[in-house]
Amino acid sequence: RILERTPVLHRNALKLVSERLRHMEERYLEQCTEPVPIRLARTLLRLLGQIGRPAAYGVLIALSQEDVALIAGTTLFTVSRQLSKWQAAGMLCTGREAIVVRDIERLATLSGTDSKPGPGP
């Protein structure tokens, strides 16, 4: 009833729901079509925009590799292996329950988007 009486609220609620649906469709398409390194890079970029905090030598994502694997739609083993490669290349540093991204530009290039992190859903 409230939505019927307040068209602005109705429009804003519809806009919010449609944005969420669009983001879900993008994530689903990513899951179905993109290789893991690209998905993982995009996931890390989204997380940087959502929960990243400045830290020494980069930006901190305070999540475990297992959490990142669940978000990226892959296994802990696969995430661990890929993050180890990126750590050896100097792009990031992994630790207990945290990932510090040191080279955001390179991560963006690997993601295939060449865009910096921004807020996400």
Side-chain angles (χ1 to χ4, degrees):
R1 291 183 192 185
I2 293 173
L3 293 178
E4 292 173 358
R5 288 184 289 197
T6 53
V8 172
L9 184 60
H10 184 262
R11 185 176 50 248
N12 289 344
L14 187 58
K15 182 179 176 184
L16 180 65
V17 170
S18 65
E19 285 176 9
R20 295 284 177 149
L21 180 59
R22 185 178 55 78
H23 287 295
M24 282 179 37
E25 287 175 328
E26 288 172 3
R27 299 299 85 75
Y28 181 73
L29 182 62
E30 234 176 57
Q31 294 285 335
C32 294
T33 61
E34 297 294 347
V36 171
I38 291 174
R39 285 198 333 251
L40 183 56
R42 288 180 183 174
T43 298
L44 291 175
L45 287 172
R46 278 193 298 275
L47 289 170
L48 285 172
Q50 293 170 354
I51 62 169
R53 295 186 318 232
Y57 309 110
V59 181
L60 172 73
I61 298 171
L63 289 175
S64 69
Q65 290 184 22
E66 184 175 10
D67 292 334
V68 172
L70 288 170
I71 295 167
T74 190
T75 65
L76 172 59
F77 175 76
T78 303
V79 166
S80 177
R81 186 178 60 219
Q82 188 63 53
L83 292 180
S84 292
K85 289 178 185 177
W86 290 346
Q87 183 168 326
M91 292 175 46
L92 51 82
C93 181
T94 61
R96 185 169 170 80
E97 304 288 318
I99 300 167
V100 176
V101 177
R102 293 180 172 172
D103 192 343
I104 296 172
E105 301 286 334
R106 197 156 155 208
L107 191 64
T109 300
L110 287 174
S111 76
T113 61
D114 287 328
S115 64
K116 292 194 179 182

